[in-house]
Amino acid sequence: MGNTIKFVQGNEACVEAALYAGLDFFAGYPITPSTEIAELLAYRLPQIGGKFIQMEDEIASLCAIIGASLTGRKVMTATSGPGFSLMQEALGYAVMTEIPCVIANVQRGGPSTGIPTHVSQGDINQARWGTHGDHAIIALTASNHQDVFAMTVEAFNLAETYRTPVILLFDEVVGHMREKLVLPAAGEIPLVDRLRTSVKEGVDYHPYLPREDGRLPMSDFGGVHRYNVTGLVHDMWGFPSTDPQTVHGLLRHLVDKLENRANEIARYREYHLEDAEIVMISYGSSARSALHVVENRRQRGERMGLLELQTLWPFPSEMVRQKCAHAKSVVVVEMNMGQIMQSVKLAVAHPERVFLANRIDSNFITPSDIMNILRIIQGKGV
Amino acid sequence: MAVKDYLRERFLPHMWCPGCGHGEVLGGLVRAIENLGLSKNEIVMVSGIGCSSRISGYVDFHTLHTIHGRALAFATGVKISRPELKLIVPMGDGDALAIGGNHFIHAARRNLDMTAIVMNNRIYGMTGGQFSPLSGENISATTAPYRTIDRGFDVVELAKAAGATFVARSTTYHVQQMTETIQKAITHKGFSVVEVLTQCPTYFGRKNKIGGAADMITWFKDNTTPIGSKAKQENAALIERGIFVQIAAPEYCEEYQKVVERATKGRK
């Protein structure tokens, strides 16, 4: 039996993947260009007995899915820039309380209301640092619908593995563009189920005492273990604490559990990097144009390659440094003012060789845009 | 079970000031649950931020101490996910009706089966005595050194207008009535709101020269009256207490099942 092939929007691919991953609770608020995700899930979730609710705003949406996740469900919300801004406090709560959840941000132009129906990749650093305080986060992205599917499933898997919110940073072009999607068969992509505690009823369960491997087995709200969950700094019981050792231990745990595993969490694609003198680094829809340029230049014999990032946070510094080790120049292609370029410069041995090829006028960056900038970088002029 | 069996002794004593009314609300709430004979495993308490919201730490239920103003949004997720659980959401006046006002009216509108308890001491206590949307006019607070000009909300009227199907008011003087009211609210099928007038002697009492805790509780005795009493007819300034609304209306989780039925109709 062959796989089902669909011709869909990126937002639909995201929905198919979320359902494949076991999503059974979605709360959201309408916002362009992510609304199709909510619309489709309003249609699909009740068909499988799942829960869909349209909340009064975006922060309520994230709060609702965090509450549902605690009862044992796989949960998700979807939004765009202004809604993502509104969610930031609840995002920090999910980080602090280590409650798995997935947040899709289909990026549009900002700041503020910006340009709702046009493309941007301007929320990259907001995803990393939008909520206050030292913390770590996982953010994934994709440039095509097959990868939107893969990364969405990955987002649910990583959320459960590391007990963390995972942000899907799609962009308007990927979200609204239609292309082929091959739906994987059941079981084709492994799914990570929640790690639940083996502590029996009547025995003390410490909700925030990590195992030796750093993982925290959960107990569903409504189950046999009653415990406290708080956004305050807390001890192993989940009770507020101001003990300096407890504060230090918790913050280190929250950051180290992801930052120390940046290599494990790194997902990427590479094209013609083996002998590349010019390494392009891109992600999301802009990587499609970058790939076009690379393939075109390769045909002319130029040693050019593409590193397409799928994990943006934690930033895969070590991998990026290795891939760029022999590059004469590194060109970061993105639709913002250099948000990932900053991280690339920090990662590579020669930051002075890192250049930005970008577009910020709300139009999609095309291969010819990139080639024009490349000619200037190479000293050839327009 | 005894009252103490509902408390987490490990986390006591509580952090409230001497004379604070929140302990009386805790007592009334726990007695209400004891009277109803509910299992601790079936209760989820969700609270926000503020003095009142610390109540969730002290009770031996599934407890979710969330972010400022959003307790009802978290509770909505828990309830829709697991409709069989009993949701109790204690909130302070600022928590429930300033930063959380939007969630309050929408939870009431949906008629989700949960109990919201507004512990109204008319002041932000944890941050040190700022006025709230329930302070009303002519009140002294640290952010109102020349007294407030802001008009206050009436929780009862707001909850009624937003569609809550059970709306009641009590005070920390009327502890037995408070317990009975909370009991009825928890039993009610739908969104129930209980406003409990509670004293903050540390800030509201001191700033407004009302006196200590006993004076403030006495004020509740002298300035409240049962709904529709003769005293109210003679003195309109008295605050009514009792059950204002108790009606049957479609509950959200039950209605959602109809959506599931419509979505699955004709499917295998």
Short mmCIF file of all heavy atoms in Angstrom, two decimals, chain A residues 167-188:
data_model
loop_
_atom_site.label_atom_id
_atom_site.label_comp_id
_atom_site.label_asym_id
_atom_site.label_seq_id
_atom_site.Cartn_x
_atom_site.Cartn_y
_atom_site.Cartn_z
N ILE A 167 9.11 25.63 19.88
CA ILE A 167 8.52 26.62 18.98
C ILE A 167 8.81 26.21 17.54
O ILE A 167 9.94 25.88 17.19
CB ILE A 167 9.11 28.02 19.26
CG1 ILE A 167 8.78 28.43 20.70
CG2 ILE A 167 8.59 29.04 18.27
CD1 ILE A 167 9.69 29.50 21.25
N LEU A 168 7.76 26.19 16.73
CA LEU A 168 7.91 25.96 15.30
C LEU A 168 7.90 27.32 14.62
O LEU A 168 6.88 28.00 14.61
CB LEU A 168 6.77 25.09 14.78
CG LEU A 168 6.87 23.60 15.16
CD1 LEU A 168 5.54 22.91 14.92
CD2 LEU A 168 7.98 22.91 14.38
N LEU A 169 9.07 27.73 14.11
CA LEU A 169 9.18 29.07 13.50
C LEU A 169 9.02 28.96 11.98
O LEU A 169 10.00 29.02 11.25
CB LEU A 169 10.54 29.68 13.84
CG LEU A 169 10.67 30.37 15.19
CD1 LEU A 169 12.11 30.79 15.42
CD2 LEU A 169 9.75 31.57 15.28
N PHE A 170 7.79 28.77 11.56
CA PHE A 170 7.56 28.77 10.12
C PHE A 170 7.45 30.22 9.65
O PHE A 170 7.48 31.15 10.44
CB PHE A 170 6.29 27.99 9.79
CG PHE A 170 6.38 26.53 10.21
CD1 PHE A 170 5.33 25.91 10.85
CD2 PHE A 170 7.54 25.80 9.96
CE1 PHE A 170 5.43 24.58 11.23
CE2 PHE A 170 7.64 24.48 10.35
CZ PHE A 170 6.59 23.86 10.98
N ASP A 171 7.33 30.40 8.34
CA ASP A 171 7.12 31.77 7.85
C ASP A 171 5.97 31.76 6.85
O ASP A 171 5.50 30.70 6.43
CB ASP A 171 8.41 32.36 7.25
CG ASP A 171 8.99 31.53 6.11
OD1 ASP A 171 8.26 31.28 5.13
OD2 ASP A 171 10.17 31.12 6.20
N GLU A 172 5.50 32.94 6.51
CA GLU A 172 4.27 33.07 5.72
C GLU A 172 4.36 32.32 4.39
O GLU A 172 3.38 31.71 3.95
CB GLU A 172 3.95 34.55 5.48
CG GLU A 172 2.58 34.81 4.86
CD GLU A 172 2.58 34.75 3.34
OE1 GLU A 172 3.66 34.91 2.73
OE2 GLU A 172 1.51 34.54 2.77
N VAL A 173 5.53 32.34 3.76
CA VAL A 173 5.66 31.66 2.46
C VAL A 173 5.47 30.15 2.64
O VAL A 173 4.69 29.53 1.92
CB VAL A 173 7.03 31.99 1.81
CG1 VAL A 173 7.32 31.03 0.66
CG2 VAL A 173 7.03 33.43 1.29
N VAL A 174 6.16 29.58 3.59
CA VAL A 174 6.01 28.14 3.83
C VAL A 174 4.58 27.83 4.28
O VAL A 174 3.97 26.85 3.86
CB VAL A 174 7.05 27.66 4.88
CG1 VAL A 174 6.69 26.28 5.39
CG2 VAL A 174 8.44 27.64 4.27
N GLY A 175 4.03 28.68 5.12
CA GLY A 175 2.69 28.45 5.66
C GLY A 175 1.61 28.43 4.59
O GLY A 175 0.69 27.62 4.63
N HIS A 176 1.73 29.34 3.62
CA HIS A 176 0.65 29.50 2.63
C HIS A 176 0.93 28.86 1.27
O HIS A 176 0.00 28.64 0.50
CB HIS A 176 0.34 31.00 2.44
CG HIS A 176 -0.53 31.54 3.52
ND1 HIS A 176 -0.70 32.88 3.74
CD2 HIS A 176 -1.29 30.92 4.47
CE1 HIS A 176 -1.53 33.08 4.77
NE2 HIS A 176 -1.88 31.90 5.23
N MET A 177 2.20 28.60 0.99
CA MET A 177 2.54 27.98 -0.30
C MET A 177 1.95 26.57 -0.38
O MET A 177 1.85 25.88 0.63
CB MET A 177 4.07 27.90 -0.36
CG MET A 177 4.65 27.15 -1.52
SD MET A 177 6.46 27.15 -1.37
CE MET A 177 6.67 26.13 0.09
N ARG A 178 1.55 26.18 -1.59
CA ARG A 178 1.07 24.81 -1.78
C ARG A 178 2.11 23.98 -2.50
O ARG A 178 2.68 24.43 -3.49
CB ARG A 178 -0.23 24.81 -2.59
CG ARG A 178 -1.42 25.26 -1.78
CD ARG A 178 -2.72 25.19 -2.57
NE ARG A 178 -3.77 25.76 -1.74
CZ ARG A 178 -4.45 25.06 -0.82
NH1 ARG A 178 -4.21 23.78 -0.64
NH2 ARG A 178 -5.37 25.66 -0.09
N GLU A 179 2.37 22.80 -1.99
CA GLU A 179 3.22 21.85 -2.70
C GLU A 179 2.89 20.43 -2.23
O GLU A 179 2.03 20.23 -1.38
CB GLU A 179 4.71 22.17 -2.54
CG GLU A 179 5.27 22.00 -1.16
CD GLU A 179 6.79 22.27 -1.10
OE1 GLU A 179 7.40 22.58 -2.14
OE2 GLU A 179 7.34 22.18 0.00
N LYS A 180 3.61 19.50 -2.79
CA LYS A 180 3.32 18.09 -2.53
C LYS A 180 3.72 17.70 -1.11
O LYS A 180 4.75 18.15 -0.60
CB LYS A 180 4.08 17.22 -3.54
CG LYS A 180 3.71 15.75 -3.46
CD LYS A 180 4.35 14.96 -4.57
CE LYS A 180 5.77 14.54 -4.19
NZ LYS A 180 6.34 13.55 -5.13
N LEU A 181 2.90 16.87 -0.51
CA LEU A 181 3.25 16.29 0.79
C LEU A 181 2.95 14.80 0.73
O LEU A 181 1.83 14.41 0.42
CB LEU A 181 2.42 16.94 1.92
CG LEU A 181 2.57 16.28 3.29
CD1 LEU A 181 3.96 16.53 3.89
CD2 LEU A 181 1.49 16.78 4.25
N VAL A 182 3.95 14.00 1.01
CA VAL A 182 3.73 12.55 1.10
C VAL A 182 3.51 12.23 2.58
O VAL A 182 4.41 12.42 3.40
CB VAL A 182 4.95 11.77 0.56
CG1 VAL A 182 4.66 10.27 0.62
CG2 VAL A 182 5.29 12.21 -0.85
N LEU A 183 2.31 11.77 2.89
CA LEU A 183 2.02 11.47 4.29
C LEU A 183 2.71 10.17 4.68
O LEU A 183 2.45 9.12 4.07
CB LEU A 183 0.51 11.32 4.49
CG LEU A 183 -0.34 12.58 4.50
CD1 LEU A 183 -1.80 12.23 4.73
CD2 LEU A 183 0.14 13.57 5.56
N PRO A 184 3.55 10.20 5.67
CA PRO A 184 4.20 8.96 6.10
C PRO A 184 3.16 7.98 6.66
O PRO A 184 2.14 8.39 7.20
CB PRO A 184 5.14 9.42 7.22
CG PRO A 184 5.27 10.89 7.06
CD PRO A 184 3.98 11.36 6.47
N ALA A 185 3.43 6.69 6.49
CA ALA A 185 2.53 5.68 7.06
C ALA A 185 2.69 5.67 8.57
O ALA A 185 3.71 6.11 9.10
CB ALA A 185 2.87 4.32 6.48
N ALA A 186 1.67 5.16 9.25
CA ALA A 186 1.75 5.06 10.71
C ALA A 186 2.98 4.24 11.09
O ALA A 186 3.23 3.19 10.50
CB ALA A 186 0.47 4.42 11.25
N GLY A 187 3.74 4.74 12.03
CA GLY A 187 4.92 4.02 12.48
C GLY A 187 6.19 4.34 11.69
O GLY A 187 7.29 3.97 12.09
N GLU A 188 6.02 5.03 10.57
CA GLU A 188 7.19 5.34 9.74
C GLU A 188 8.13 6.33 10.43
O GLU A 188 9.36 6.20 10.35
CB GLU A 188 6.71 5.92 8.40
CG GLU A 188 7.72 5.82 7.28
CD GLU A 188 7.10 6.26 5.94
OE1 GLU A 188 5.93 5.91 5.66
OE2 GLU A 188 7.80 6.98 5.20
#
